[in-house]
């Protein structure tokens, strides 16, 4: 299969390119950085450049994006330009070129807060945590109906989206744009909702980096990782090589035919795309991850600051059952092994 890989020089994209080549596929890169998979520098917002790269392509794996929570509202234009406009240009050119298979890098951030259960009201979706509660150190969301403490649970792909920051808004917009493209063209869209991806080649020293890279950067400088809130935030940390393998499986499954239908079939939330949680299925707290990384690195123990960021969610973990059942995907890199490897390797500059 001939695959156009956008974001091919990036953290996740570079691993996907290697995994696709190892599986026998021919990969063509598109990235702002020159030399990605042998191609010239190109912007996914440049329709002419995209059209040239799509010539002779069977499928597209779309990884190009501006990631992270950003700094403040001044980032709004940059996020919408890179993520929304870039995706719109890509889809329009795919339609013109007759390319009908898309695997889209989405994210668990589209869910907002994870799933919760109230002992009195059953399943509930808490709203954004008020700043006065965070300032007072009350980090756990409360039941919106009665104010009681909630029990966190795992989200499935049918969980209604509830984005809480600009990055999440743009990732959900990508899913909706892709769904519109699929309805108009008869194309196939597979949205892979990555959970917290970590591993070699993570960018460092930037507010847009993942938390694992931020912790690793401090350890490299001989400083303790700074853990926000009380460190009890639950996440699912999935290794980048597992994410790359999930993309290969998704492309091969999509090329074989349309996504499954029937019970739990096409996601209404995605307007016609098929979404998959790409996660390990073994949630950890942010404090656990910081401690594991510090121990593997042999550096100072994490420092729990009690600080917070508006727009962060407390708990978000996933059920990866659909990806296992339909794509044959199951995370293979154990948490301890992945953290040990990550501690041994320097992260790259951004």
């Amino acid at each position: 299969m001939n695959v156009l890989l956008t974001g091919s020089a990036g953290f996740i994209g570079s691993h996907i390119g290697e995994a696709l080549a190892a599986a026998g596929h021919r990969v063509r890169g598109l990235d702002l950085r020159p030399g990605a998979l042998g191609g010239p520098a190109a912007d996914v917002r440049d329709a002419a450049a995209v059209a040239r790269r799509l010539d002779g392509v069977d499928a597209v794996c779309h990884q190009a994006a501006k990631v992270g929570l950003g700094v403040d509202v001044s980032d709004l234009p940059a996020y919408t330009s890179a993520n929304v406009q870039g995706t719109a240009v890509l889809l329009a050119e795919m339609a013109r070129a007759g390319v009908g298979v898309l695997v889209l890098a989405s994210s668990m951030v589209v869910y907002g807060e994870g799933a919760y259960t109230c002992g009195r009201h059953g399943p509930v979706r808490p709203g954004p945590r008020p700043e006065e509660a965070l300032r007072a150190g009350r980090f756990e969301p409360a039941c919106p109906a009665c104010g009681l403490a909630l029990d966190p649970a795992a989200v499935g792909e049918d969980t209604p989206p509830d984005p809480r920051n600009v990055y999440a808004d743009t990732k959900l917009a990508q899913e909706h744009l892709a769904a519109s493209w699929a309805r108009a063209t008869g194309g196939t869209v597979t949205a892979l909702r990555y959970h917290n991806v970590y591993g070699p080649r993570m960018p460092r020293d930037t507010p847009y980096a993942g938390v694992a890279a931020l912790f690793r950067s401090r350890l490299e400088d001989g400083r303790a990782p700074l853990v926000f809130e009380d460190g009890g935030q639950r996440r699912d940390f999935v290794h980048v090589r597992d994410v790359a393998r999930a993309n290969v499986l998704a492309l091969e499954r999509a090329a074989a035919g349309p996504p499954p239908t029937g019970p739990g079939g096409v996601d209404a939330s995605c307007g016609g795309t098929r979404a998959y949680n790409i996660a390990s299925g073994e949630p950890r707290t942010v404090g656990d991850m910081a401690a594991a990384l510090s121990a593997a690195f042999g550096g100072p123990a994490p420092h729990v600051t009690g600080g917070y960021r508006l727009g962060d969610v407390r708990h978000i973990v996933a059920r990866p059952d659909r990806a296992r059942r339909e794509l044959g995907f199951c995370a293979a890199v154990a948490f301890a092994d992945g953290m040990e490897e990550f501690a041994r390797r320097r992260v790259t500059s951004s």
Side-chain angles (χ1 to χ4, degrees), residues 110-332:
V110 302
Y111 297 121
E113 280 285 354
Y116 292 86
T117 301
C118 172
R120 182 179 299 173
H121 294 98
V124 296
R125 295 296 298 276
R129 296 175 293 169
E131 186 170 9
E132 57 269 24
L134 297 172
R135 192 182 303 119
R138 299 193 303 273
F139 301 122
E140 294 291 342
C143 175
C146 66
L148 290 178
L150 299 173
D151 293 322
V155 295
E157 291 87 351
D158 56 352
T159 300
D162 184 21
R164 300 289 177 90
N165 55 63
V166 63
Y167 175 60
D169 291 332
T170 61
K171 296 310 286 186
L172 185 58
Q174 287 182 326
E175 290 195 13
H176 287 310
L177 287 170
S180 295
W181 168 85
R183 285 192 295 269
T185 65
T188 297
V189 179
T190 306
L192 301 183
R193 291 173 176 167
Y194 303 157
H195 284 248
N196 287 68
V197 187
Y198 74 96
R201 305 175 203 157
M202 287 189 83
R204 61 164 291 167
D205 298 335
T206 164
Y208 307 99
V211 66
L214 295 175
F215 290 167
R216 178 68 169 82
S217 294
R218 289 188 64 86
L219 286 165
E220 281 191 317
D221 294 337
R223 297 179 294 165
L226 298 179
V227 179
F228 281 7
E229 302 185 17
D230 59 0
Q233 310 94 303
R234 295 172 73 241
R235 298 289 188 269
D236 190 306
F237 298 97
V238 59
H239 196 277
V240 67
R241 287 196 298 274
D242 283 328
V243 171
R245 186 164 48 83
N247 276 269
V248 175
L249 292 169
L251 280 162
E252 292 174 345
R253 176 65 186 83
T261 57
V266 173
D267 296 290
S269 65
C270 300
T273 72
R274 188 67 167 170
Y276 295 92
N277 286 322
I278 302 303
S280 72
E282 298 180 356
R284 309 276 177 163
T285 69
V286 173
D288 289 340
M289 190 270 283
L293 193 55
S294 291
F297 190 84
H303 173 58
V304 178
T305 68
Y308 58 87
R309 294 187 303 182
L310 292 176
D312 276 355
V313 298
R314 179 62 176 175
H315 305 298
I316 175 68
V317 297
R319 292 197 300 270
D321 303 353
R322 180 186 287 182
R324 181 173 59 249
R325 184 174 64 249
E326 297 179 8
L327 301 180
F329 170 76
C330 185

